[in-house]
Amino acid sequence: MIRQLLMFWATLCAAAAAESNSAYLFAYFTGESPLGEQIYFAVSEDGMHWMDLNNSEPVLVSNVGEKGVRDPSLLRTKEGKIILLATDLRIANGKGWQAATSTGSTSIVIWESEDLRQWSAPRLVDIAGGIPDAGCAWAPEAILDEESGEYFVTWATISPRDGERKARIFGARTTDFRTFSGHELHIARPGQDVIDTQIIRVEGAKHKYYRVSCDGQITFEAVDSLHGTWERCGNLSYLGFTGKQVEGPILFKYNGQQKWGLLMDQYSSSRGYLPFVTSNLDDSRGFAVVPAADYNLGASRKRHGGILGITRDELSALKAKWPSTKSARIASAGNPARLLRHYSFQLRMDTEVNPAEDALWRLVPGLSGQSGTVSLRSVNFPDRFVTATADGVAMDPNDNSPAFRARAT
């Protein structure tokens, strides 16, 4: 009996050690470029300083639905499987936002993995097709409902209801991310669109669950049961941030601390994510903007995504699976203070570069395939290369044509 107890205790200790998170995985997309609406990964040891994996190139590419994905979120199931959910949407195909909101895909895209390195093929789930006149299904998120043992998946759909056509948050329940219950209305605000809702479970706070949504403001709410009535905790307007400036919130806990991070996508100014921190989710006035000197979001400009706590072993495995080579700055020999950079996709030489990533390049083998040649790829817009033109040089997106490959070599 004693031996069995000791073995049981050792198993518990090993399981606890294996589940201890000490790093972070960030899944995101980068924008409406030819490759921007796919899944990218970055990792961090402190949640503040991030390193892009795979040389800032996609790690997962959708070949289903609209063949583009946005707004990825990550969930580790109670069995340890990792689920990645994403919006089935590709603006880069030229469809436009009007079509995307009124006649867009009502499906979401799902990947699964046992170890974060090997992923299943993407699959489509028509999650919003039962909503009358649904125009889209955006920004899916999932959380375990501990009372029912099911996973509660939420997303935004634009559809008519109660005399208004607008975005509302709907939900559905699943145990396997293949079969889903019928939809239910989760959040509706009279006269106001609601998008980008995320729910997290919190230990040691006043409430068990907290959620953040974009509803004109960046609104925080709390509840003790996913079946209960949500209580408002405030918004970020006191810091000067509303839905007019930011969207796509990512709320996550810092490993081993009673501190939470919030990343907000500065979509209106195209400046990527801005980080906030708080130690009190019950009062949104506890959030503070992180000083620019205290964080680095990596090389690429990141758009609406999700963050998952990972172990040290998982961090090492991800770096080994998708390594990144170092980037370089290119300076003038006559004036080393002047750096080659892009600005509004135009090339020039500047002494002051902000953001610094605009002056970072990767030397890659020449796209033409000719031996002994190189191509210059932008770090934060990895689909764009320096190209030779009749008038000089440019920074153009790669259309993979022979003429482009020649100009970019």
Side-chain angles (χ1 to χ4, degrees):
M1 175 62 74
I2 293 178
R3 182 181 178 184
Q4 290 175 325
L5 287 173
L6 289 173
M7 291 178 63
F8 178 66
W9 178 253
T11 301
L12 288 178
C13 289
E19 294 170 0
S20 177
N21 293 327
S22 57
Y24 310 84
L25 171 63
F26 190 173
Y28 57 96
F29 79 105
T30 63
E32 288 80 40
S33 66
L35 286 176
E37 293 166 300
Q38 302 298 341
I39 303 300
Y40 295 74
F41 281 174
V43 291
S44 173
E45 294 189 42
D46 64 0
M48 289 287 189
H49 299 84
W50 295 87
M51 181 186 78
D52 293 3
L53 296 181
N54 202 35
N55 289 325
S56 304
E57 296 181 18
V59 299
L60 298 174
V61 175
S62 176
N63 58 6
V64 297
E66 299 199 357
K67 296 182 172 59
V69 281
R70 301 165 65 104
D71 321 319
S73 64
L74 293 160
L75 168 77
R76 196 186 298 270
T77 69
K78 53 191 176 183
E79 294 81 19
K81 182 181 293 185
I82 297 93
I83 306 294
L84 192 153
L85 312 172
T87 302
D88 178 36
L89 175 61
R90 187 164 186 254
I91 293 298
N93 67 6
K95 70 182 298 179
W97 284 106
Q98 178 59 40
T101 58
S102 58
T103 59
S105 172
T106 56
S107 295
I108 61 174
V109 182
I110 300 177
W111 281 269
E112 296 183 4
S113 175
E114 299 287 348
D115 59 7
L116 294 173
R117 294 172 299 170
Q118 303 298 322
W119 291 84
S120 68
R123 65 174 180 270
L124 280 177
V125 174
D126 188 1
I127 203 165
I131 302 172
D133 288 326
C136 56
W138 289 353
E141 296 271 352
I143 188 170
L144 174 64
D145 182 347
E146 295 180 348
E147 294 180 43
S148 68
E150 301 168 303
Y151 295 94
F152 185 51
V153 178
T154 58
W155 71 92
T157 285
I158 297 174
S159 63
R161 188 185 181 102
D162 300 327
E164 293 182 301
R165 183 176 183 85
K166 63 182 183 181
R168 301 170 179 85
I169 302 299
F170 290 85
R173 298 177 182 275
T174 183
T175 58
D176 58 7
F177 290 92
R178 293 178 179 274
T179 303
F180 290 78
S181 68
H183 67 271
E184 59 187 81
L185 182 63
H186 184 57
I187 307 176
R189 310 273 197 242
Q192 178 64 57
D193 289 306
V194 190
I195 60 171
D196 298 346
T197 288
Q198 182 193 8
I199 304 172
I200 65 170
R201 189 188 186 284
V202 175
E203 297 281 359
K206 180 180 177 181
H207 298 284
K208 181 178 287 188
Y209 299 99
Y210 291 79
R211 77 182 179 193
V212 57
S213 306
C214 296
D215 56 2
Q217 298 288 343
I218 308 303
T219 297
F220 297 88
E221 298 167 287
V223 75
D224 290 318
S225 165
L226 292 179
H227 305 270
T229 300
W230 291 82
E231 170 187 320
R232 292 206 177 202
C233 303
N235 56 55
L236 294 182
S237 61
Y238 74 100
L239 290 174
F241 293 97
T242 70
K244 293 182 179 180
Q245 294 86 31
V246 292
E247 66 177 13
I250 305 175
L251 192 58
F252 68 100
K253 185 179 183 296
Y254 286 98
N255 295 323
Q257 304 177 65
Q258 282 297 104
K259 184 174 80 170
W260 291 267
L262 173 70
L263 294 181
M264 295 298 311
D265 185 354
Q266 301 172 96
Y267 76 98
S268 65
S269 59
S270 299
R271 296 172 63 188
Y273 269 113
L274 179 66
F276 301 74
V277 293
T278 186
S279 57
N280 181 12
L281 288 174
D282 292 300
D283 182 1
S284 66
R285 288 184 172 270
F287 278 98
V289 177
V290 178
D294 293 344
Y295 70 90
N296 185 324
L297 293 176
S300 61
R301 185 173 67 96
K302 296 164 175 59
R303 301 291 307 280
H304 190 174
I307 291 176
L308 177 74
I310 59 175
T311 66
R312 180 71 58 180
D313 287 346
E314 288 173 331
L315 173 64
S316 297
L318 284 164
K319 287 182 176 180
K321 173 73 174 181
W322 291 290
S324 285
T325 57
K326 291 184 177 180
S327 56
R329 290 179 170 81
I330 299 174
S332 165
N335 185 354
R338 293 173 65 85
L339 301 173
L340 178 68
R341 62 86 53 91
H342 61 83
Y343 185 85
S344 296
F345 301 131
Q346 302 298 311
L347 291 172
R348 64 195 207 189
M349 303 290 289
D350 283 351
T351 56
E352 298 290 335
V353 181
N354 185 22
E357 292 78 21
D358 287 355
L360 285 177
W361 306 90
R362 295 194 194 280
L363 296 176
V364 301
L367 297 186
S368 68
Q370 183 179 351
S371 176
T373 64
V374 298
S375 294
L376 291 179
R377 169 194 271 149
S378 167
V379 163
N380 51 359
F381 292 92
D383 65 308
R384 289 182 178 259
F385 289 77
V386 175
T387 59
T389 69
D391 300 320
V393 291
M395 180 184 163
D396 294 324
N398 183 7
D399 63 10
N400 206 33
S401 66
F404 178 88
R405 294 197 297 270
R407 293 196 310 272
T409 298

